[in-house]
Each structure stands twice: as structure tokens, then as C-alpha cells.
Amino acid sequence: MSGDTHSAASSSADQSLADALLHGAEVPRRRALAKAITLLESTRPDHRVRGDALLNTLLPHSGRSFRLGISGVPGVGKSTFIEALGLHLIGLGHRVAVLAVDPSSTVSGGSILGDKTRMEQLSVHPQAYIRPSPSSGTLGGVAEKTRESMLLAEAAGHDIVIVETVGVGQSETAVSAMTDMFVLLQLPNAGDDLQAIKKGVMELADLVVINKADIDEHAATRARAQITSALRLLGMHGHPDHAHHDRQIWHPEVIQLSALKQQGLATFWDCVSRFRALQTANGQLAQRRQQQSLAWMWERIEAGLRARFKAHAAVQAQLPDSIEAVRDGRLAASVAARRLLDLLV
Amino acid sequence: MSGDTHSAASSSADQSLADALLHGAEVPRRRALAKAITLLESTRPDHRVRGDALLNTLLPHSGRSFRLGISGVPGVGKSTFIEALGLHLIGLGHRVAVLAVDPSSTVSGGSILGDKTRMEQLSVHPQAYIRPSPSSGTLGGVAEKTRESMLLAEAAGHDIVIVETVGVGQSETAVSAMTDMFVLLQLPNAGDDLQAIKKGVMELADLVVINKADIDEHAATRARAQITSALRLLGMHGHPDHAHHDRQIWHPEVIQLSALKQQGLATFWDCVSRFRALQTANGQLAQRRQQQSLAWMWERIEAGLRARFKAHAAVQAQLPDSIEAVRDGRLAASVAARRLLDLLV
């Protein structure tokens, strides 16, 4: 088969894939979505070309969802929460997609969502689509695949996309940078909030949820008060009685619930809906998405520039010596950088 | 004058500059250091070439100082503290250089150290050299000049280099990444510590100094207790009575002093000296410098790659359209990035 014939065949097959994903009945649509995401996750250059073409075809049909980022340390009850929330949303008539960003999955083979049985009912529900984290190397690479999968899930008619992440390195920042609203799940533990502040995650949060509030209600109430006052000190949480409290701007809220007992889900979704309405009205939602897209483009350009630099023959030949000379203090780092850059011509 | 003659003349002049800087008497040595730093800060390409040559000549004579980073919000009393500390150190027989990283100086014309009269006695002392922040654009650019100036100051025999920064954006991270020890100056105010935790500055601190402790001793003691417990919760501060408290590893400390009344400077320097001895013994000091040099090299390479990308003719022609298409949602960000990268050939 010649390259052209192959490409034409692929192109026709990909058109059917796009059709099934956009307009198919429930079962073929889910299958098409899974297949399209697998194509995007492939590292084969020809798959990359086909994946880009597919993305371009489907892009006009994407974007019509609400994108909800959810983070929390292991043990906070993310799976239980997302399963309960997903089923609640399906009950309200939504179609839900659950994706994940887990850079550690490269090593572990996927700790988040790898085991779909952790969301027993949601994973088999026809109105839901659950996809484990891609495992393609760097956080940037993993995040890129998840972003692209999100666009496909939207084109396939999922109007709520949940992106889950565990608190590893910068993954929360990556998820916050691809979603409309970032929710931080916390346990009712003292010190937990300080860790979140330390890592800069609290700053990203549009909503802090204290889960497992049923286990120790006093601790949960105390945690809520602590986090609220921390948000206030960080300048993120407006004083309700403050004259300058701007009702056109969202101030992060703190709520408590029990995902296990399915208590507080309606309150949670009410909060999300108020956020969405406000951010739509004040234009922040559209602006945030535009900024996210541009930041994503630059992030990918920089990753590409780094990769090209490291793959350049003259750089590869020189780099080990430069690293050694800089480490040993024989060459100033800035001089080494300029010399390496000069090799690119 | 032909290019070659010019270059030979420059080269001979630069050799005299290097000699004066390394071996000159007090006054010509200071003048040579100032002249050399000015050469490094120049944006003229021929100056850059000469600056690199000078750096390479002087590099073997650099590195023999202790590099102390000092940060704190405006009003915390940095100038008073550094002047008092500098004079104290000169009294102990040291030669002190004070440099600064202030990315805002591009706009303001230099808020830090711009007015040397803020350090009246130190600035005129023959054993001290004070240099305001370079003002060459980005934080990365400013930080690079300061790093290079540090090497020259070391070659000129300054065995204590203090790098000052005000808490603007990521400048603390930049200073922490070029010094052996990072000191955070705090006021005895509640909430001040939370801001530092929020911004991730507390994590960088090897030592937290509560200044102006004379004004309200109770507040200072309270702040010290708060910050100590915050450091403990952040996992940075070991419990002294803890069985696993590792005496081979530095645990950040919190002290209080009054720079204005010159109280506590000996305690401060004792703490710094213990840090330096421990970090030298456990190998952390050498390792930190190696890591800093390599990270600096990569930071400069990435900045150079970005600059080259933006200066590429085909990219410049295409970029505005790409940005518009990505912002309007007509083109996926990752696809736009790949297309722009393909233009580089």
C-alpha cells in the first residue's frame, strides 16, 4: 500500500470515527471516543498527524461543557466523591466525562482511575465516560493528552468534564490551567490546610470542600473556620460585611460534606452553579479559557524548543562537556548557555 | 581602527582590568570591579563577547565567598539590617559586597540600593562594595547580571557577598537560587508569615529573622513562636526532642533582633556560621552550588531558545494569526504549537 493510499484510507476511517463520535448512538459513540483518545495518546508520528487532523475537525464541536478540576491528597475520598457527584449529575440530565492527570502513572502504571472498579456504578453508566490518566512521560506531556481528550469528550456530547488529579508536584497547577473551576478536597485535619497553602494549591482553589465531615463534625467545622480565615488572610476571601465586597467577583468558598453518605452534594452543585453563572455573566469564564489556551500554546512551544535543542547533533556532542565544566566551576553557566545556543546557528 | 586592532586593544585593556580587579590596591580594585560589572551589564554584542572573556579569566578566582541572600517586604528594614551587618562583618575582618535583584528597577529606575545613601557608612567603607540592581528587562536577565557580578566581586576578594531582594514576584526564588543561604526578614506582624508561606518564600528560608523586635517584644516573641510552628507543620523544622532529629541536616531557625539598635547581630552571625559549617561538612554547600550552576545554565538556554523563536522570520509572520486562532477557539493550542515549531525547520 502506498503512502497516499494509506493516508486516504486513514483519512476516510478517521472521518467515520469523527462521525461516530459526534452523532453516533450511545455505544458506538463511546467506542469512537475511546478510539480517538487512543489515537491522540499514540507517540507514532503518523498517528500524531491523524490526531491533529481529528482535533481540527472536532474543535468546533468542543467547548460546550463545564470543566471541573478536582484535587486532593490520597485518602481524601476523591473516587467516592466523583462517583457520587457523577451519578448525581446524571440524575440531573447531564452527560459526564471523568479524565485524570497523574504524572506518576508513567512509573506506577496509573494510580488514578487506573482501576475503574473504584467507581463501580459510574464507570458502567451509559451517560458517563471514564478515562485513566495518560502515561506519556512529563507532566506537560500528560497534561497535553488530557487537554486534548477533554476537547474530544466535549465533542462527544459530555457537558460536564471532571479532571481529577492527585497532589503530586505541579499537577494541580496543570489541572487548574485546563478547567473552569478548581475544587480542592480537604480532610478535616489541622495542618492539612497549611500544606495546601504551602504548595500554593489553596491559591488555585475556587472552592474548598471538607470531605468526610460525618466522621468528626466538630473537626470539620473547625477546619472550615480555619480555612476560611486563611483564605481571608491570603486576600482571597472577601468579608461579607465589607463595604468593598464585590459581588461581581467570585470569592472562594469553603463547604463541608460527606461523599460516602451522599450528604451535601446538592449544596456542592449549587455552589458550582453559582460560580458558573457569575463567571459567565462577568466574562471571566471566557477570558480564563482564552488565557488557558494561549498559555497552553506557549507551554507546548517551549517544551518543543527544549526537545529540539536536546536532539540537535552539535548540542548532543557538546552538552556533556559543558555540563561537566559548569558543574566543576571551570565555565560560567551563562557563558556555557551562550556557547551551546551558538551551536544552533 | 580595524576590527582586529580594536579587538586586540580591548583584549589588552581587559587584561589590565582583570589584573587591577584581582591584584590592585584598594581604590583601583574597586574601580576595576565597577568597570567590569558595567561591561557585563552592557547590551552591546561586542561588550558581551569581552564580558564573557573576562568572566572566563576571572572564574578560577571566584567562588571563595559565602553567598547570603536576604529578602523581605518593603519596610521590614533591609537597608538598616544590611548596613549594620556589613559593618559588623568588616569589624570581624571580612570584605563585603552587596548586590541586588530588583526586576522592578526596569520601570522605577532602581528602588533597591539605587540610593546608596540608605547605607551611608557601608557605602563609603573601603572594605565594602555596593552595587544597585541591574535594570536589563526580565527577572531572568536581571538575575543573570547579578550572578555574574557576584563572581567578579568574589574574584576581587570580597569573601561575603550579600544579595538583597524585595519580595516582588519570583525574585526571591531567583536570589535563593544563587546564594548559599537564604534569609527571610519578617516584621512581628500576624499574617505576615502566612503571606510568606502563601508565596512559597518560607519554604526557601534557611533562617527567618524577625526584625524590629525592640518595638514590641511580645509581638516579636509571638511571631517567632508562630513561624516556628508553621515551619514545623511544613515539615521543615525538626523537633529538638525528636528521636529522628538529624543533626547532619540543617533545620531552619527563627531568631529575633533589632537592626536599628544593633541588637542580635552576633546571634545572627553565629547562626549563619553554624549553617555554613554544617553545610560544608555534609557536602550540601558544594552540591547546592553545582545544582545552582546547572539550573542557571538551563534557565539561560531556555530564555535563549524563546528569544530565538520569537525572532525567527517565519514565526514572526505566522504568530499573530496563530494567537488569534487559538484565542478564538478555531485552532487547538497544541496543534498551533506544533505548526509554529515546524516553521523552524
Side-chain angles (χ1 to χ4, degrees), chain A residues 52 148 302 306 334 338, chain B residues 52 148 302 306 334 338:
Chain A
D52 277 6
E148 293 178 346
E302 296 196 358
R306 271 195 303 275
S334 48
R338 281 190 285 275
Chain B
D52 277 5
E148 292 177 346
E302 297 196 357
R306 271 196 303 275
S334 48
R338 280 190 286 275

Side-chain angles (χ1 to χ4, degrees), chain A residues 78-80 82-83 98 100 102 105 108-124 130-133 164:
Chain A
K78 277 193 303 298
S79 300
T80 309
I82 292 171
E83 163 134 299
V98 183
D102 177 13
S105 62
S108 68
S111 57
I112 303 188
L113 297 175
D115 184 6
K116 281 194 189 180
T117 55
R118 290 192 304 139
M119 298 187 195
E120 263 182 26
Q121 295 178 64
L122 192 65
S123 61
V124 297
I130 299 186
R131 180 91 182 185
S133 178
E164 175 188 9

Side-chain angles (χ1 to χ4, degrees), chain A residues 218-231:
Chain A
H218 288 296
T221 305
R222 205 164 52 238
R224 188 180 168 186
Q226 273 176 3
I227 296 170
T228 304
S229 92
L231 287 172

Side-chain angles (χ1 to χ4, degrees), chain A residues 309-310 319-329 331-334 336-337 340, chain B residues 67 147 177 286-302:
Chain A
F309 176 79
K310 288 184 181 172
L319 192 56
D321 283 353
S322 300
I323 288 176
E324 211 184 296
V326 167
R327 195 163 39 204
D328 298 351
L331 186 61
S334 48
L340 287 164
Chain B
R67 302 167 179 171
R147 278 175 185 270
Q287 205 186 321
R288 183 163 164 167
R289 285 197 176 180
Q290 285 189 354
Q291 286 167 350
Q292 287 176 340
S293 293
L294 286 176
W296 178 22
M297 182 185 85
W298 282 112
E299 198 274 325
R300 288 291 86 196
I301 288 172
E302 297 196 357

Side-chain angles (χ1 to χ4, degrees), chain A residues 48 52 56 59 144 148 195 198 203 233-234 290 293 302 306 308 331-334 338-339 341, chain B residues 48 52 56 59 144 148 195 198 203 233-234 293 302 306 308 331-334 338-339 341:
Chain A
R48 187 67 267 177
D52 277 6
N56 286 338
L59 197 66
E144 167 159 295
E148 293 178 346
Q195 283 293 339
K198 174 197 170 190
E203 273 182 279
L233 277 165
L234 293 175
Q290 284 188 356
S293 292
E302 296 196 358
R306 271 195 303 275
R308 279 158 178 265
L331 186 61
S334 48
R338 281 190 285 275
R339 286 190 186 167
L341 288 166
Chain B
R48 185 68 265 178
D52 277 5
N56 287 338
L59 198 65
E144 166 159 296
E148 292 177 346
Q195 284 293 339
K198 174 196 172 192
E203 270 181 281
L233 278 164
L234 292 175
S293 293
E302 297 196 357
R306 271 196 303 275
R308 280 159 177 264
L331 185 62
S334 48
R338 280 190 286 275
R339 287 188 186 167
L341 287 167

Side-chain angles (χ1 to χ4, degrees), chain A residues 88-110:
Chain A
H88 180 79
L89 294 175
I90 289 171
L92 296 174
H94 293 290
R95 295 185 68 233
V96 178
V98 183
L99 310 171
V101 171
D102 177 13
S104 69
S105 62
T106 318
V107 181
S108 68

Side-chain angles (χ1 to χ4, degrees), chain A residues 242-261:
Chain A
H242 197 286
H244 298 292
H245 186 72
D246 189 342
R247 297 194 178 282
Q248 304 307 308
I249 293 173
W250 179 260
H251 299 281
E253 300 190 6
V254 188
I255 63 171
Q256 54 195 74
L257 54 73
S258 165
L260 192 67
K261 300 208 165 172

